[in-house]
Amino acid sequence: MTHPPTGTAAPPAPARPTAWAEGLDRLRAGSATEPGRLRIIGALLAVLVAAFGGVTAWQTSEREAAADDVVRRSQPLSADAASIHRSLADADTSAAAGFLAGGQWPPEVRERYERDIDTASALLVKAAANSEGSGSARRRIATLNEELPVYTGLVEQARANNRQGLPLGGAYLRYANERMRTRLLPAARALYEAETARLEADYTAATAWPWAALGTGAAALGALGWAQRREFLRTNRVFSQGLLAATGATAVVLLWLAAGHALAAAGLHESRDSGARSLQVLNEARTGSLQARGDESLTLVARGAVLTPDGRDFYETGYRARMAELAGRGTGAAARGSLLDRAQRLADDAAGRDPVRKAAAEVRVWQRRHAEARKTDEGGAYEDAVQRVIGGGDTTGASFDRVDAALASAVAHEQREFRRAADSGRGAFTGLPAGAAVLALLGAAAALLGIGRRLSEYR
């Protein structure tokens, strides 16, 4: 006969459910009764409305910051980069004009050259202080800081030799122009393009629709509507003051969000289309006219010593190419697709178009006077040709000055148009992040109070 074993272990105790499982069990148990279901509905409504406010505050704060960057950082930096590019081109133009004038530069030419160099140097310091996060911009700034002293040194060598009547001065000036053309101006243009790309990125961030906030708001409104319909079907009560207040607060935030963003985007798009893009084209036109003027002067300085691979005068070829980009071929209005034609089309009012038309008309005068100066030079009257370029009266220099003044006037107008539209767009975000958060919290509290009043009937 066998006996049962002694000392056997007791059967294992059942495993304790996890906190998550216990929570689900309680939720299921609570949802089996109407009070439990109401508590769940109230909690979900409050969370959804509060989440709507939080997402709205987050997304609108980001867009408000991007819009502020457009006005206060990226567009001014883009304008500064354009000024660096233009100042360098103008300095090179002034150096060539001063050299043509003889051994001693005219005081106004010397002052203009020094002012351009000082302006470029100061703006490079400013750009370096604000180029954080942009490796491309920092590299271009470093190149410009390295090359600018080399360029000014070559110009001073050219001036010193020219004062002594040595032909080596022309060689130094051509070498300075080559460094400007091949190193400084490309680096300045690349810096301008990098800052313009940052401006476009800020525009994109500021005008992107806040889909997450809009979607959360629509979901919150739908949930509140469903909860009120459910209460009506169960109790035949038309209104719940708490839920109605929550619905009103949510609707106000949603409408404010949609309308505010639409107004902000409209203002920012206007500032980009009617301001920033016009400024980009006008800055290109101003720099192109400066380079054309420099090439015109260097044509006389070099006197055919620098040729293109096909045997044409290098600087005269450069002048013609710049003028074609500026106003196109022909003798009348700016040709379609040229910089001045594009600037006219981008200007949205007469105050913006009229200076550009004036510049285009003066470009044609400049071209006629240039042709006369070239004919004079080719006829052997070099000194007369120089006077037609840098002398007083009806010279190509006078035409260039009028072109530059007209374009400067157009730039100033478009800068004002940009700031007006951008400020309007940025202002549409004012108060929206904080207002959305406050209204959403009030709406969440109202939803809880509305459900709580219904729950009190079960006590």
Side-chain angles (χ1 to χ4, degrees), residues 164-177:
Q164 299 174 49
L166 300 176
L168 193 59
Y172 272 115
L173 187 66
R174 292 194 299 273
Y175 188 32
N177 173 261

Side-chain angles (χ1 to χ4, degrees), residues 62-74 76 202 206 268 422-423 426 429:
E62 285 191 337
R63 282 149 182 79
E64 185 178 30
D68 195 62
D69 283 343
V70 165
V71 176
R72 297 180 181 275
R73 188 192 67 167
S74 50
D202 286 337
L268 290 169
D423 282 342
R426 180 179 58 166
F429 286 119

Side-chain angles (χ1 to χ4, degrees), residues 282 339-341 343-344 347 352-361 406-407 410:
L282 287 168
L339 289 171
L340 292 179
D341 174 69
Q344 287 185 56
R353 286 189 294 269
D354 288 346
V356 181
R357 287 198 187 101
K358 182 179 178 181
L407 292 177

Side-chain angles (χ1 to χ4, degrees), residues 55-273:
V55 174
T56 299
W58 162 53
Q59 291 202 304
T60 54
S61 293
E62 285 191 337
R63 282 149 182 79
E64 185 178 30
D68 195 62
D69 283 343
V70 165
V71 176
R72 297 180 181 275
R73 188 192 67 167
S74 50
Q75 198 281 330
L77 287 176
S78 177
D80 285 347
S83 294
I84 292 171
H85 194 200
R86 186 172 60 253
S87 296
L88 292 174
D90 193 51
D92 200 47
T93 298
S94 298
F99 193 92
L100 271 184
Q104 191 67 35
W105 286 17
E108 65 275 10
V109 175
R110 180 68 181 177
E111 289 173 7
R112 182 167 180 167
Y113 169 81
E114 291 177 346
R115 184 171 61 249
D116 287 331
I117 296 299
D118 290 343
T119 297
S121 300
L123 290 176
L124 281 172
V125 172
K126 182 179 177 182
N130 291 278
S131 63
E132 69 281 356
S134 176
S136 175
R138 287 197 301 272
R139 287 192 299 272
R140 305 308 177 188
I141 293 168
T143 298
L144 289 166
N145 281 324
E146 291 170 4
E147 291 292 333
L148 189 55
V150 177
Y151 170 79
T152 55
L154 290 169
V155 170
E156 291 308 311
Q157 289 277 14
R159 289 186 65 240
N161 281 275
N162 196 36
R163 280 198 303 269
Q164 299 174 49
L166 300 176
L168 193 59
Y172 272 115
L173 187 66
R174 292 194 299 273
Y175 188 32
N177 173 261
E178 181 187 0
R179 291 190 80 94
M180 177 65 75
R181 187 187 300 268
T182 61
R183 301 190 186 187
L184 281 157
L185 288 180
R189 182 169 184 82
L191 174 62
Y192 173 65
E193 290 172 350
E195 296 298 351
T196 301
R198 178 154 59 167
L199 172 61
E200 286 295 322
D202 286 337
Y203 265 122
T204 299
T207 57
W209 276 93
W211 294 116
L214 291 170
T216 307
L221 271 183
L224 286 164
W226 169 83
Q228 290 173 89
R229 183 175 183 276
R230 179 182 183 276
E231 182 173 341
F232 171 73
L233 293 176
R234 287 177 174 271
T235 66
N236 206 33
R237 291 174 180 168
V238 178
F239 296 116
S240 167
Q241 293 179 348
L243 293 180
L244 194 62
T247 303
T250 303
V252 167
V253 173
L254 188 59
L255 289 172
W256 188 4
L257 170 63
H261 183 83
L263 289 172
L268 290 169
H269 282 309
E270 182 186 355
S271 75
R272 176 166 55 184
D273 296 338

